[in-house]
Amino acid sequence: MTSPKRIGKIEFGLLSPKDIRKMSVRKIIWADTYDDDGFPYPQGLMDLNLGVIDPGLRCKTCDNRAGDCPGHFGHIELAKPVIHVGYTRLIRKLLRVTCRGCSRLLLSPEEIKKILGPADEFSEDLITEKDIKKERVCPHCGEQQLKINFEKPTTFSEVWTEEGKKTEHKLTPADIRARLEKIPDEDLRLLGINPVVARPEWTILTVLPVPPVTMRPSIILENGQRSEDDLTHKLVDIIRINQRFKENQDAGAPQLIIEDLWELLQYHVTTYLDNEVAGCPPARHRSGRPLKTLSQRLKGKDGRFRGSLSGKRVNFSARTVISPDPNLSISEVGIPLAVANEMSVPVQVTPFNIEEVRQMVLNGPERPTINAPCGANYAIRPDRRRLRLTDINKETVAEMLEPGWMVDRQLRNNDIVLFNRQPSLHRMSIMAHRIVIMDGKTFRLNPAVCPPYNADFDGDEMNLHVPQTEEARAEAYILASVQENILSPRFGGPIIGGIHDHISGIFLLTHGKRWFTKSESIALLKHCTPSHLPDPEKVEMGVPMWSNKQVFSMILPDGLNMVYKASSCANCEVCKKELCERDAYVKIFDGQLICGTIDKKSIGAFDGAILNRIIRQYGMAKGRQFIDDVTKLSIRGIMHDGFSFGIDDEDLTRTEYGQIDEVLDTADSDVERRIKIYQEGQLEPMPGRTLDETLEMQIMQVLGKARDRTGEIAGRHLGLSNSAVVMAVSGARGSMLNLTQMAGCLGQQSVRGERIVRGYDERTLPHFKKGDRGADAHGFIKNSYKSGLTPTEFFFHAIGGREGLVDTAVRTSQSGYLQRRMINALQDLKVAYDGSVRTTGGRIIQFTYGEDGTDPARSAFGDPVDVKGIVENVLKEEV
Amino acid sequence: MEMSTTFDVLQHVMVPDHKIMSEEEVSDLFSTYQITHEQLPKIYHDDPAVKTIEATIGDVIKIVRVSQTAGRAESYRLVVRRPKK
Ligand SMILES: [Mg+2]
Ligand SMILES: [Zn+2]
Ligand SMILES: [Zn+2]
Ligand SMILES: [Zn+2]
C-alpha cells in the first residue's frame, strides 16, 4: 500500500557564484539584443547559446530548434557586489549577531551552552537575534560592537556616538560580504543555517544569472518591430550600468562617482528581482507602466502559483447567466443553441454508427434550430489530424469517413454535462444534468435545484462542463447526477425540494377541502407523470368532482403511509388530529392524502418529509420524479387561483389602527412609569443585575410585548386570504414577524441585543433631552413599514441594519478561510475498501469512517436507522 | 524520573480507555489493515495517558472510546518520541 516514491527531505539553499558560473553557458557582456538584420548579438542578451525562440534558428548549446530547446542560463559578472533584496533580513540578523572584527558569533561557549540547554534531544534550540545583547563586546577578540542600522530597501550602516554626536558609517555590499565570509561554519549551524548549501556571503551577488530567452521571449509587433520582455529590459539596464561602472573604475574615477554608480547598479538589480519593494520607486516602462519582474511573475492571484499551477483554464466549458424554468425536470438543464453548437463530444467512427456519424458530418457546423439534428465541428483522421468542418468541405469529409476516424459531434438533447456554481463549497455545487437545447441565451434550471447551488436569478452565472469520454460520462451520471444528490451528506435529508411558489402553490391547492371538475383536475395534473384520473370522489348534479386531496394524491406512489404535523401546525396543547381547524395534521394512507395540508415540511428543500420517505422506500429515481411532479403541480396550483401581493395587503381597518395606537400608548406610559420608579429609587434590582440593567431589561420586555401585541392585532385582521400570511404559514417565504413589521409596528432597534445608547452626550441624537430614557429616544419604532418612519426612527433603523451587514461580512470571510483550510487538510483522504480513512500514502486517519462507517447522506437526519418512520409506516399512525 | 501525581488521568470521564497491545495483537492489527507501524496514527511518548499506562516508544496503544453514533469505537496509536521544536 505504500506509494513507490517518497520524498525523504527537501533542502533549501542558495546558488553560490560558483554554481551560477557552472550552470551558465555564456558570459553576457553586451546590452544589445538584435543587430540591424534581426540577428542576435553574440554575448548579447539574446545570444544563441541561451536558447532560441525564432523559428528556423538552432540553439548553439543544444542544437535544437525553437520549441525543443529548453533554454540555457548565462551570467553577468558584476563590477562590484550588490545585495540580493530577498535576503536583507537574513543579512541584518547575521550582522547583528556576529562580531564586526572577527565575525564570530557574539557568545562565549558557556553562554551558548546556557541558551541551548543540556545536550539532550528534547530541548534542542537555535540561537536567535534576541539571545544577543546589543552593542556588547566580542567575547572572542574584545572588539566593541556597534549598532547596525538597516534602511529599506538595501542600505546597512553602523551607528555610534562620538563626543556626544551620532555618527553613521555606511557599509558597502563589499564590506558586508567580507564580514559574512568570515563567519565560521560551526557558528552558522548554531543559527540554523546549513553552510554546505547556504553560505551567507552568497546572499551578496557578485555574479548574476541571466535567465534563458525562452522565459523572456520577445514578441514581434504588427509593424515588424520587436518588443522585448520586461525582464530583458531590466537586464539591459543592469548590463549598461555595469559596463559604465567598470569603465569608471578602470579609469580611476573619483569615489563619489563610483558610489553613485554602485547605488544605481544596486537599484537595477533590486528592481530586477522585485519591483514592489518598500522604500524603492518601481522601475517603469516608457509608457509609465511598472515593469513585471521576477517576483511579480510568481506573486499574487495571477502569479505562477495561484494563476498557472493551482488554477488552470479548461476547454469544453461554457458560462452564462441562469434563469428559471419550472417546466424542466430537476435533472435537466436548458442550454442555448449557440452553446450546443460550439461544444462537442468526440464519437469514434465504427462500422455500426458510420452512417449516423456521416449524417452528422453532412449536417455541418451550423445547426439552424433547436430541433434540428446535431451536426459536427471537427473530423479527426486516424493520424490524429483535425479537419475543421465547414459548409464547403463537409461533403468531401463525409465521403472520406471510415472506421477509425473520430468526429466531434455537437451537443444534443440528453447529453450529460456537469453544471456548477461558485463558490463550490460542497459536492452539490457540481452536479450532472441532462441537457435540453432551448431558445434564448441563458442556462435554464428548475428552481427546485437552486438550494444546493445556492443560486438565485438576480444575475447569477453558472458554468457547464462537457465530459469527453464514455468513462467520464458514466462517472458523472452515476456519482454526480442531481437525483443522486437529493439527500445532503450534511444532515441526511433532502436538500433539493420546493421553494417559494412551489410551497405557496401546493399549500393553496391542498389546504382544506376543495373540489375540481374534470377539466380543472386535468389542467392541474397535465404536466405530471400520472396519465389517468381516478374515480371522482363525488358527483354533484351529474358533474363528477375530484377533491384537492385526491388531485395531490395522484403524484404519491401507492403504498406510502405517513402521519405527521405540517409547518402550519400551531403546536396546540392537545392536538385535534384529523379535526385540526388549520388542517395541519397530515395523514397519508396507501398513497392517498386523507387529511392535512402539504407545505414546507412535506416538500420543501431542507425538510421534505414526503420526499425523504419516498426516497427511502422507492429509491432516488422515484424521488426525482416526485420533485418533478410536485413542482409542476404546485405551479399549476398557484396559477389556478393566481397569487400576488401589493401595498394594500398591508392595510388594516380603523379599529385595528386604534387598537395598535392604544397598545403603543400603554407601553409608552408603562415605560415612563418604570423610569419614574427607578428615578425615585423604588426599583428592586433583579438578582445579579444592577439597577440600570434591571430597568433596561424591563423596558425591553415591555416594548417587546407591545410589538408582539400589535402583530396579534394585525394578524387578527389578516387571514389566509392575505398572500403574505399564506407565505408565512406555509413556510414559503417570510414570517409573521415580517408581517407585523409591515402592518403593525417595527419595534425596538438594537445593537448587540441592547437598546441604542451611543451617540451624543447622554443622548442618542440631539433631538432628545439629555438623560431621556424613554422608548423613542433609544430606538423604539412605533411606525410600520407601511405607515413610514419618522426621520429619527429611520436613523435608528439604519443603525440596527448596519449591525446585520457587518455581521454577515465578517462571518463570510471567516468561514471562507476556515473552509479553505479544511479543504487543504482533507482533500486527498479517501475511504479504503476496508472502511478505513487513509492518506495517499496509506496512512490511517480513521480505522472506520466516522467511527460508525455510516454515509451521512444515507442516514436519517443523522441517525443510522429511522426507527420512528418505519414503525409509523407499518402502524399507520403517529408514534 | 517523573514526579508521581496524585491524579490519574484515566479515571476522568473525558479520557478514553488506553491499553498497551501485546505483540500478537499488534501483528494481527497490521495484517487486518495491511499496514506497517509507520502507517498508524501516532501519540507522543509524553502524553499524560501514555505516561500513566507506562507505555514506551514503539508500543502500540489501543484506545476505546464511547461513540455517540457507533456506541464503541476502537483506534490504535503508535507511541513516538515528541519531535524537537
Ligand atoms: Mg444572486
Ligand atoms: Zn538549447
Ligand atoms: Zn570578535
Ligand atoms: Zn394541530
Side-chain angles (χ1 to χ4, degrees):
Chain A
M1 278 287 281
T2 27
S3 55
K5 277 176 193 163
R6 188 165 221 178
I7 296 169
K9 62 171 182 180
I10 299 176
E11 202 168 66
F12 290 97
L14 301 171
L15 272 182
S16 69
K18 216 172 121 195
D19 291 331
I20 295 170
R21 288 192 192 99
K22 211 164 82 189
M23 72 177 187
S24 162
V25 295
R26 195 82 156 138
K27 182 176 168 183
I28 306 300
I29 48 173
W30 303 117
D32 311 271
T33 50
Y34 295 93
D35 62 21
D36 296 336
D37 307 328
F39 198 78
Y41 273 110
Q43 293 207 288
L45 273 171
M46 291 293 171
D47 190 293
L48 282 177
N49 283 285
L50 301 188
V52 279
I53 39 166
D54 307 288
L57 290 176
R58 273 181 187 275
C59 170
K60 279 194 177 171
T61 304
C62 66
D63 205 35
N64 281 316
R65 287 178 193 284
D68 295 322
C69 166
H72 317 277
F73 275 92
H75 75 282
I76 299 168
E77 293 286 345
L78 296 175
K80 283 272 186 194
V82 289
I83 290 168
H84 188 304
V85 261
Y87 297 106
T88 45
R89 289 182 59 180
L90 177 70
I91 295 168
R92 186 182 66 176
K93 176 183 158 189
L94 289 172
L95 289 178
R96 284 181 181 168
V97 300
T98 56
C99 170
R100 63 187 301 267
C102 68
S103 278
R104 297 284 312 267
L105 190 61
L106 289 168
L107 291 169
S108 64
E110 297 77 49
E111 287 170 311
I112 292 171
K113 209 171 247 172
K114 213 172 125 195
I115 293 165
L116 297 187
D120 86 27
E121 290 154 277
F122 302 122
S123 56
E124 191 181 296
D125 222 337
L126 292 173
I127 296 193
T128 61
E129 215 176 318
K130 285 191 195 103
D131 295 322
I132 288 151
K133 283 196 206 84
K134 277 182 188 139
E135 294 165 57
R136 65 179 299 183
V137 174
C138 174
H140 303 283
C141 68
E143 173 95 23
Q144 171 64 49
Q145 302 303 311
L146 301 176
K147 195 180 160 205
I148 301 287
N149 227 345
F150 169 60
E151 207 179 300
K152 276 177 185 172
T154 49
T155 319
F156 289 93
S157 49
E158 283 184 326
V159 191
W160 70 94
T161 22
E162 206 173 304
E163 291 153 19
K165 261 211 306 212
K166 251 202 172 165
T167 326
E168 203 176 287
H169 168 67
K170 196 182 164 245
L171 292 171
T172 66
D175 299 336
I176 298 170
R177 195 165 200 277
R179 279 202 199 179
L180 297 178
E181 269 170 6
K182 283 193 293 173
I183 305 177
D185 284 359
E186 313 86 76
D187 290 0
L188 288 173
R189 288 213 173 81
L190 294 172
L191 292 162
I193 296 167
N194 178 3
V196 182
V197 294
R199 278 294 316 175
E201 63 269 22
W202 300 341
T203 59
I204 316 282
L205 301 165
T206 53
V207 49
L208 189 73
V210 176
V213 286
T214 42
M215 68 170 275
R216 46 183 179 90
S218 55
I219 41 170
I220 296 164
L221 300 175
E222 286 132 62
N223 56 21
Q225 260 201 322
R226 269 181 192 276
S227 171
E228 296 300 334
D229 191 273
D230 283 4
L231 280 189
T232 310
H233 280 303
K234 210 57 237 182
L235 286 165
V236 167
D237 293 340
I238 292 172
I239 295 173
R240 283 225 178 96
I241 297 302
N242 199 41
Q243 208 68 356
R244 226 165 82 203
F245 195 176
K246 266 187 195 146
E247 284 158 18
N248 276 284
Q249 219 176 356
D250 294 344
Q255 188 62 25
L256 221 63
I257 292 182
I258 295 287
E259 263 172 37
D260 272 2
L261 284 170
W262 202 342
E263 239 159 66
L264 202 54
L265 183 65
Q266 176 72 65
Y267 168 79
H268 284 305
V269 173
T270 300
T271 49
Y272 167 67
L273 296 167
D274 184 353
N275 204 15
E276 282 168 1
V277 213
C280 178
R284 286 172 193 279
H285 198 252
R286 259 182 312 228
S287 63
R289 164 184 68 87
L291 294 173
K292 251 190 128 180
T293 54
L294 283 174
S295 179
Q296 280 62 52
R297 283 197 179 191
L298 310 177
K299 269 186 198 161
K301 203 167 178 189
D302 297 317
R304 209 75 331 140
F305 294 103
R306 283 227 268 158
S308 323
L309 293 167
S310 333
K312 292 203 182 83
R313 318 267 121 203
V314 290
N315 287 324
F316 307 106
S317 65
R319 180 184 172 95
T320 183
V321 175
I322 53 165
S323 44
D325 188 338
N327 294 317
L328 282 175
S329 160
I330 53 162
S331 59
E332 291 174 325
V333 58
I335 71 167
L337 182 66
V339 170
N341 277 349
E342 187 66 30
M343 305 231 282
S344 62
V345 176
V347 186
Q348 189 80 44
V349 180
T350 66
F352 314 105
N353 69 3
I354 185 155
E355 284 315 314
E356 192 192 341
V357 177
R358 183 165 288 148
Q359 187 55 51
M360 290 174 190
V361 173
L362 283 173
N363 291 340
E366 241 5 91
R367 179 169 24 181
T369 63
I370 59 168
N371 293 316
C374 77
N377 292 340
Y378 284 95
I380 301 137
R381 301 195 316 207
D383 64 359
R384 295 169 134 253
R385 270 288 297 256
R386 279 178 168 269
L387 303 176
R388 162 110 238 186
L389 292 176
T390 60
D391 281 336
I392 300 142
N393 73 0
K394 62 188 184 190
E395 274 91 10
T396 25
V397 175
E399 283 295 306
M400 285 151 64
L401 216 60
E402 52 185 72
W405 282 53
M406 291 233 282
V407 167
D408 277 353
R409 187 206 86 199
Q410 291 173 338
L411 292 189
R412 62 184 176 199
N413 284 351
N414 277 320
D415 277 339
I416 288 160
V417 294
L418 290 168
F419 202 39
N420 159 240
R421 181 181 177 274
Q422 281 98 355
S424 314
L425 294 176
H426 57 189
R427 63 190 226 188
M428 291 81 76
S429 289
I430 303 177
M431 291 192 286
H433 293 246
R434 285 180 293 109
I435 67 164
V436 178
I437 299 171
M438 293 183 137
D439 287 317
K441 292 188 170 170
T442 58
F443 288 140
R444 249 58 58 82
L445 53 103
N446 186 315
V449 282
C450 286
Y453 290 119
N454 191 21
D456 47 40
F457 304 107
D458 60 4
D460 290 26
E461 291 182 58
M462 284 180 72
N463 306 319
L464 180 134
H465 299 268
V466 185
Q468 294 289 299
T469 64
E470 221 49 78
E471 214 181 345
R473 276 189 290 277
E475 205 168 83
Y477 184 71
I478 292 166
L479 299 175
S481 61
V482 174
Q483 67 175 43
E484 298 304 319
N485 284 289
I486 298 171
L487 296 178
S488 165
R490 195 176 83 206
F491 51 86
I495 190 172
I496 297 172
I499 54 168
H500 308 314
D501 279 5
H502 296 143
I503 294 168
S504 308
I506 212 78
F507 178 90
L508 290 172
L509 183 72
T510 55
H511 188 65
K513 201 82 173 182
R514 297 173 64 185
W515 297 94
F516 298 112
T517 62
K518 186 171 184 180
S519 66
E520 284 173 326
S521 307
I522 290 172
L524 287 167
L525 285 162
K526 71 177 171 189
H527 290 277
C528 302
T529 324
S531 48
H532 295 282
L533 279 179
D535 292 333
E537 205 173 303
K538 72 173 183 188
V539 180
E540 214 170 60
M541 291 180 287
V543 184
M545 299 292 265
W546 284 264
S547 78
N548 55 344
K549 313 261 171 180
Q550 226 181 343
V551 168
F552 176 75
S553 302
M554 292 286 294
I555 63 168
L556 292 176
D558 296 338
L560 186 78
N561 298 307
M562 294 185 79
V563 184
Y564 61 90
K565 287 172 185 139
S567 301
S568 51
C569 175
N571 291 316
C572 331
E573 299 244 318
V574 187
C575 186
K576 292 182 191 154
K577 304 216 164 170
E578 285 86 345
L579 301 172
C580 175
E581 62 273 6
R582 301 168 142 260
D583 196 19
Y585 188 73
V586 183
K587 203 159 151 187
I588 298 169
F589 278 179
D590 192 26
Q592 292 297 313
L593 178 63
I594 307 294
C595 66
T597 310
I598 303 302
D599 57 20
K600 178 157 168 260
K601 184 82 174 288
S602 310
I603 63 143
F606 302 104
D607 293 299
I610 296 180
L611 177 58
N612 192 31
R613 174 57 59 75
I614 288 175
I615 290 171
R616 310 273 171 202
Q617 211 166 318
Y618 304 91
M620 289 297 191
K622 258 284 192 330
R624 197 218 74 230
Q625 194 196 80
F626 177 72
I627 300 175
D628 287 342
D629 284 341
V630 90
T631 50
K632 280 161 194 165
L633 175 64
S634 62
I635 296 301
R636 294 283 136 187
I638 205 166
M639 283 160 69
H640 187 269
D641 301 321
F643 194 74
S644 72
F645 186 75
I647 192 80
D648 57 345
D649 282 307
E650 294 159 5
D651 279 338
L652 306 176
T653 63
R654 205 163 280 169
T655 340
E656 276 96 28
Y657 286 128
Q659 287 170 335
I660 289 172
D661 285 343
E662 204 183 300
V663 167
L664 294 176
D665 286 343
T666 325
D668 238 353
S669 48
D670 194 8
V671 169
E672 292 303 328
R673 189 174 57 83
R674 284 166 199 272
I675 292 169
K676 208 168 163 204
I677 294 172
Y678 163 82
Q679 281 163 345
E680 287 164 357
Q682 301 290 312
L683 187 68
E684 275 298 312
M686 288 187 346
R689 302 277 170 177
T690 64
L691 270 179
D692 286 275
E693 282 168 354
T694 310
L695 178 68
E696 275 302 304
M697 286 175 72
Q698 286 186 353
I699 293 172
M700 288 280 278
Q701 206 182 1
V702 169
L703 294 176
K705 266 204 191 116
R707 205 259 321 262
D708 294 344
R709 287 273 300 122
T710 66
E712 282 162 32
I713 293 161
R716 235 180 283 148
H717 176 77
L718 305 168
L720 279 181
S721 60
N722 183 286
S723 301
V725 177
V726 169
M727 289 191 276
V729 170
S730 65
R733 199 76 218 248
S735 61
M736 284 315 280
L737 174 69
N738 293 146
L739 206 57
T740 302
Q741 293 191 321
M742 286 191 284
C745 128
L746 215 54
Q748 181 66 50
Q749 300 301 302
S750 66
V751 171
R752 294 190 200 151
E754 277 164 5
R755 297 205 297 165
I756 291 161
V757 286
R758 291 190 49 180
Y760 292 79
D761 184 26
E762 283 183 62
R763 54 191 168 165
T764 51
L765 285 171
H767 308 70
F768 303 105
K769 289 223 167 69
K770 281 190 183 182
D772 185 353
R773 287 178 177 269
D776 329 337
H778 290 275
F780 185 77
I781 302 183
K782 286 179 181 167
N783 277 305
S784 63
Y785 285 124
K786 171 75 202 297
S787 64
L789 275 53
T790 66
T792 51
E793 285 177 339
F794 188 88
F795 189 74
F796 288 130
H797 185 236
I799 295 175
R802 168 68 76 94
E803 192 190 25
L805 291 182
V806 170
D807 277 4
T808 27
V810 170
R811 258 206 313 275
T812 45
S813 68
Q814 280 177 347
S815 63
Y817 183 46
L818 200 70
Q819 177 95 4
R820 254 185 73 80
R821 290 169 28 158
M822 290 280 271
I823 290 169
N824 286 331
L826 302 176
Q827 61 182 355
D828 291 323
L829 302 186
K830 63 175 180 187
V831 181
Y833 282 108
D834 64 0
S836 60
V837 181
R838 296 184 186 226
T839 64
T840 46
R843 274 182 46 223
I844 293 183
I845 304 297
Q846 287 181 347
F847 285 88
T848 309
Y849 172 71
E851 292 188 342
D852 57 4
T854 309
D855 176 357
R858 278 148 214 266
S859 69
F861 287 97
D863 295 325
V865 183
D866 179 19
V867 181
K868 189 167 175 275
I870 293 169
V871 172
E872 282 177 346
N873 190 23
V874 175
L875 295 181
K876 304 184 180 178
E877 62 183 63
E878 204 179 8
V879 285
Chain B
M1 243 355 262
E2 276 304 317
M3 253 204 352
S4 69
T5 44
T6 48
F7 181 71
D8 180 0
V9 285
L10 291 179
Q11 296 307 309
H12 194 280
V13 276
M14 301 292 285
V15 179
D17 191 32
H18 290 64
K19 273 207 175 65
I20 304 174
M21 291 171 76
S22 72
E23 235 160 82
E24 296 104 275
E25 287 174 318
V26 173
S27 64
D28 279 356
L29 177 75
F30 285 0
S31 64
T32 1
Y33 286 99
Q34 297 190 25
I35 49 169
T36 61
H37 66 278
E38 60 194 44
Q39 282 158 304
L40 278 177
K42 315 277 188 285
I43 189 166
Y44 288 149
H45 74 283
D46 58 352
D47 184 283
V50 172
K51 285 197 283 191
T52 314
I53 61 170
E54 290 176 341
T56 52
I57 290 155
D59 283 346
V60 178
I61 292 180
K62 177 175 175 175
I63 300 164
V64 181
R65 294 193 191 89
V66 177
S67 161
Q68 265 194 16
T69 48
R72 196 185 116 98
E74 281 179 15
S75 76
Y76 312 91
R77 283 175 186 274
L78 177 73
V79 181
V80 294
R81 183 181 293 281
R82 180 184 287 278
K84 306 159 202 167
K85 270 180 280 176

